[in-house]
Structures are given as C-alpha cells and as structure tokens.
Amino acid sequence: MTTLTMSTARPTSLPADAVVIGVVKGPQGPALAPGAEAVADTFDGPLTDSLSALGVTGAEGETVKLLSPIGLKARLVLAVGLGNAPDDGVYDTDALRRAAGVATRTLAGAPKVLLALPADTADAVEAVGLGGLLGTYDFTAYRSCGTGDGKAPVAELVILVGTGADDEALLRACVVGQELNRARDLINMPANDLYPQSFAALVQAAGREHGLTVEVFDENALTEGAFGGILGVGQGSANPPRLVKIAYTHPKADTSLAFVGKGITYDSGGISLKPVGFNEIMKRDMSGAAAVFAAVMATARLGLQVNITGWLAMAENMPSGSATRPGDVLRMYGGKTVEVVNTDAEGRLVLGDALVRAGEDKPDAIVDVATLTGAMVLALGKRTFGVMSNDSAFRDRIMHATKRAGEDAWPMPLTPALRKGLDSTVADIANSGERMGGGLAAGLFLQEFVPDHTPWAHLDIAGPAFHEGEPYGYTPKGGTGSAVRTLIQVALDAAAGGLR
Ligand code: BES
Ligand code: MN
Ligand code: ZN
C-alpha cells in the first residue's frame, strides 16, 4: 500500500525518484503553479521557456518528464497541467485531485515521488494527497508475475507543504484514499470470488479490525426475519444471500444516519436473463454496497462525531430451477407484497427490505446507493449519478455534498404520476412497468419502503460506478469508487451539525 506523508523540507533537498510540479495556462504560454518555485530555480534559465519549447501549454491532464538538473536530489521532474490559473489564487480542489492523480499514475514504476503542487491550505493538502493516492490505484490481484505493464504503483508519496501543514487533512486524504481504493478492489473482484458469503466475511473482518459492530444475517436469519426481497432475489443462486449491518457510533453524536447499499455480486438478470452485451461486467452491481462499506469504515477511522449504520443487501441474481419467476409475488420485510414482473429489476427488491429494516432504527436520514437502472445511464451518461429524494431540502444538501466531494451528480425528480406505472393487478406494487422514466420509477418504488417523515436520498450510480475507457484524472479503468466521497462528505456534514 502506498504511504502518504507531508514535509516542509525544500523540494530540492529530498532524495526521490521524481518531483511533481504544476503548470497552468498563462496569457503568454505556460506558467508555474505555486509550489514549483524552488524546483524551477535549479534549472538554467526560465523553466517555462523549456516547457514551452516542449509543447507544454498548462492544459489539464498534460504531462512532461524532464531530467533533473544538478541542484535537485529528485532524479526527474514531472510537470503536470492544472488548466487555467484561478483568479483568486485558490485552486479548485478537484483540479488538484485530478492533477495529482494524473501525476502518480504517470509515474507508476517510480518508488518515491514528491508532490510540489499548490498545497498551502488544509483543503489543498487533502486534495493533493487524495488525488495522489487514488492515482496509484492498480488492480493486480489476478495478474501473474510479468504480465500487465509490470510497473509497480508509486510506493511512497510525500506532499511538500508550506508552514500551514495540517495533520488532519493528511489523515483524511489517507483514510479516504485507502477506503475508496478498497471499494474499487471489491468492485473489480470477479463474481466467482466475491459472492454474498465471501463479501460478508470480508466486511466482517475489516469492520472488526477497526472496532466496528458487524452483524451478518445469513439465509437462515433472513428466512427467520422474513426478508422476502433479499431471499427472492438470491434463491436462484448456489450462493445464498446475506444482509450485513455495519455500525459505527460516537458517544457524543447527535445525528444518526443510515446508508443502504445494493450488493448484487452478479446480476445475470435472473429468469429475465440479460442478453450478451449487457451481462459482461455485472460484477459491478455491488458498487453501492462497496461504497457504503467504504464510507462507514472511513467515518469510523476518522472518529467523526456521528452515528452511521451501513446496510449491505447482498445477493447473486441467477436463473435456475429455484429462481424467482416473472409473475411471482414476494412478501417483503415489513409485509408489503411485490409482483416480480421482471427478475432483472432485482436491486429495488433487495433494497426495499434493507430500507424498511434501516428505517426501523429511526435514523435522522437515510441515503441509499445503487447501480440501479440502465435508464439513469441513458439519461445522465457514464460520468454523472442521479440524486432523488423525498425531501427537496435534503436533496439540496446531498447535492451540495457531491460538489464539495468533487463528484459529478445531478438532481432527478420523483414524478408522482409515474407511480401508476408500477401498479400490479395482484400485489401492492410491481417491480417494473412503464419503461419511460425507468430511473425515476425505480426511485418511486424505493420510496414506498422509506418511513414517511424520514429524509431519504437515492443515488443511482449505474453510470459512473465502473469506467470502461482509458484512465483519466484519478479515475482508473474498472471500479471507480463512485459515491464514496459523497457519503463521507455527508457524514462530515452530519458530524458538524449541518444535516438537520
Ligand atoms: N444492475 C442493473 C442496472 C445497470 C445497468 C447497472 C447498466 C449498471 C449498468 C439493474 O439491476 C437492472 O437490470 N435494471 C433494469 C431494470 C428494468 C428491468 C426495469 C434496467 O435498467 O434495464
Ligand atoms: Mn438487474
Ligand atoms: Zn442489478
């Protein structure tokens, strides 16, 4: 695992494999970002002239490597583009995260890297540290030696800071980076190794390591408790379902939150089988549960003054002789009946149970996270998640949290008229109906399982949970860790008394 530390030493004096500096777009070509001064001074003549000659403009994502001059103990200099310089001198934290991520990804293979990026405030230190850690991510668990690009992730990251060094900011970067990368690992893990039982065991082990209370409801406990949604989705698989409760409490907390995550370890669609082209990476369908797990872990490790209960609803959605059939009626936890019109609309079934159970503890607010609908991907694309809520003020707070966390999200309505499309001729509600507005209908379905006066938000991360293209910024190929930072920001806000 990459270590992250801070130093007030001069960037020229520390031995390292590389030192990273920032370049911005200036009116007359590239200009240096704060933090780069001492490094630039070791070059003969203005460094910006050399950068300009090399074609550097300062555009975001641009990188160029330079051999270090004699005055520098680091062996090479990596200049990374930050885009336009901010008018007020305060760098946007997500721009810093992205630049640091690009830098550490580009420098894979270099054991020790110094980050001489703008880091003069606690927020900037946190952003540079977090982006740097997220950029080191590489999923190598299934590669034999000598395959892949063979470059080990940067092992040691040192943020060079001014006098305003902030230990708490560094700790936040470390913890959020590690837990978010853990969520990515879980998402990337293939479904033959990550199934409800093994997922639950991993959560239990990690939770206990950090003093969290973890309770696993196995198939017997689920039957005993009448969790008909989770059981109904899981009954077609040889791998039985699980509901995992992971709780963190702070003795002085005055706000309690419930986070609920969709944990479908593989979504084949069930009897309503997905066609080829739609089932290849459905191992990602537990990204919501992974995000909730990571956020609860991070909250606990940071000792935030808030109570958080995570509910991870885990099942494998498979077709078989014992699978739920289209037309079957399930009795959900809490007693509502659902006609399963389409076994591929399984996320809402496991979440329905978990939401009712979460609501029983009377939390001050509930947030669920799920790779719930293809419709949300069609609506918002693969970079943005949708935010729905039964309470517009709460939705605004969540949106505000997404912005500060640097995540791309957009509010979506829960249009009441769409509820009619979920009417069932035999049960209280159907799990699927009218195709148009499918992402919103899914939200309306979930709303039925949320207590009336509890603020609740639903994050549909089906698009951004998994990245299939080339890496960019701090985002790798594969599991992205979507919603982890938003959930942690919500916990931070609650701890600061700002969620009520
Ligand atoms: N897990 C899928 C949604 C999904 C689609 C996630 C693409 C990630 C990428 C979900 O269980 C599903 O199959 N939803 C159906 C619902 C429909 C049957 C009402 C969908 O969106 O097609
Ligand atoms: Mn499905
Ligand atoms: Zn699914």
Side-chain angles (χ1 to χ4, degrees), residues 229-241 314-318 324 350:
I230 298 174
L231 287 166
V233 174
Q235 73 189 36
S237 171
N239 295 308
M314 304 172 181
E316 186 178 57
N317 188 21
M318 295 292 266
T324 291
V350 300

Side-chain angles (χ1 to χ4, degrees), residues 115-207:
L115 296 166
L117 291 166
D120 41 12
T121 64
D123 283 350
V125 168
E126 180 177 347
V128 168
L130 178 55
L133 278 183
L134 297 181
T136 63
Y137 182 79
D138 194 14
F139 186 64
T140 55
Y142 291 82
R143 289 209 194 273
S144 313
C145 297
T147 62
D149 68 8
K151 288 183 181 164
V154 174
E156 214 183 324
L157 273 179
V158 184
I159 313 175
L160 299 172
V161 293
T163 42
D166 184 324
D167 286 336
E168 271 184 45
L170 186 76
L171 181 69
R172 277 198 299 273
C174 255
V175 167
V176 176
Q178 284 173 0
E179 294 303 331
L180 194 148
N181 283 340
R182 190 208 308 260
R184 289 172 168 178
D185 272 344
L186 289 167
I187 297 164
N188 291 330
M189 204 185 277
N192 56 334
D193 283 340
L194 193 81
Y195 42 89
Q197 193 179 0
S198 61
F199 191 2
L202 279 168
V203 171
Q204 196 152 41

Side-chain angles (χ1 to χ4, degrees), residues 178-448:
Q178 284 173 0
E179 294 303 331
L180 194 148
N181 283 340
R182 190 208 308 260
R184 289 172 168 178
D185 272 344
L186 289 167
I187 297 164
N188 291 330
M189 204 185 277
N192 56 334
D193 283 340
L194 193 81
Y195 42 89
Q197 193 179 0
S198 61
F199 191 2
L202 279 168
V203 171
Q204 196 152 41
R208 283 194 180 147
E209 188 188 327
H210 290 281
L212 287 145
T213 320
V214 180
E215 191 183 337
V216 177
F217 298 67
D218 64 11
E219 63 273 36
N220 298 323
L222 291 169
T223 305
E224 180 87 359
F227 289 87
I230 298 174
L231 287 166
V233 174
Q235 73 189 36
S237 171
N239 295 308
R242 295 286 183 267
L243 174 64
V244 178
K245 174 186 182 184
I246 175 165
Y248 162 70
T249 56
H250 187 287
K252 293 202 199 122
D254 53 18
T255 304
S256 298
L257 301 176
F259 290 165
V260 178
K262 171 176 172 179
I264 300 298
T265 55
Y266 182 70
D267 182 11
S268 71
I271 298 292
S272 316
L273 195 63
K274 286 182 186 294
V276 167
F278 290 84
N279 59 18
E280 287 80 3
I281 44 174
M282 277 303 157
K283 66 174 185 182
R284 82 176 95 171
D285 217 15
M286 35 58 69
S287 300
V292 166
F293 171 46
V296 178
M297 291 289 290
T299 304
R301 289 179 60 190
L302 293 171
L304 302 185
Q305 195 175 322
V306 59
N307 297 331
I308 302 207
T309 305
W311 293 94
L312 319 179
M314 304 172 181
E316 186 178 57
N317 188 21
M318 295 292 266
S320 78
S322 62
T324 291
R325 294 153 286 247
D328 284 2
V329 175
L330 302 179
R331 185 173 294 276
M332 306 280 282
Y333 183 73
K336 273 204 181 69
T337 56
V338 179
E339 181 187 2
V340 181
V341 173
N342 188 327
T343 63
D344 198 11
E346 84 297 338
R348 60 198 77 183
L349 298 173
V350 300
L351 288 172
D353 275 1
L355 284 167
V356 173
R357 179 60 193 83
E360 278 180 0
D361 297 344
K362 304 204 181 318
D364 295 303
I366 304 177
V367 181
D368 79 69
V369 188
T371 47
L372 204 59
T373 65
M376 197 56 61
V377 191
L378 288 174
L380 296 177
K382 293 183 171 182
R383 296 272 178 111
T384 309
F385 62 78
V387 179
M388 285 145 269
S389 178
N390 58 353
D391 175 327
S392 61
F394 187 61
R395 194 190 60 204
D396 290 348
R397 292 196 184 106
I398 298 292
M399 283 305 302
H400 189 50
T402 65
K403 292 206 176 70
R404 278 168 301 141
E407 294 206 271
D408 230 313
W410 202 254
M412 299 294 275
L414 288 173
T415 312
L418 293 179
R419 170 61 182 82
K420 208 163 172 24
L422 294 173
D423 282 351
S424 161
T425 48
V426 295
D428 297 335
I429 190 168
N431 77 329
S432 150
E434 162 77 57
R435 205 166 81 87
M436 299 299 160
L440 320 183
L444 285 166
F445 181 96
L446 296 181
Q447 186 173 6
E448 306 259 332

Side-chain angles (χ1 to χ4, degrees), residues 46-115:
L47 176 56
T48 46
D49 288 356
S50 317
L51 290 171
S52 198
L54 288 163
V56 171
T57 65
E60 192 184 316
E62 226 173 39
T63 55
V64 67
K65 286 179 186 168
L66 302 164
L67 274 176
S68 293
I70 298 196
L72 214 51
K73 288 230 166 69
R75 290 168 57 203
L76 62 89
V77 176
L78 179 80
V80 59
L82 281 161
N84 292 319
D87 294 334
D88 54 2
V90 181
Y91 280 79
D92 171 60
T93 47
D94 206 51
L96 292 176
R97 272 192 289 269
R98 289 194 297 264
V102 168
T104 55
R105 188 150 38 72
T106 307
L107 289 169
K112 179 172 177 182
V113 170
L114 312 175
L115 296 166

Side-chain angles (χ1 to χ4, degrees), residues 12 21 32 36-48 69 72:
T12 50
I21 58 169
L32 297 174
E37 303 84 357
V39 171
D41 287 347
T42 61
F43 284 83
D44 267 346
L47 176 56
T48 46
L72 214 51

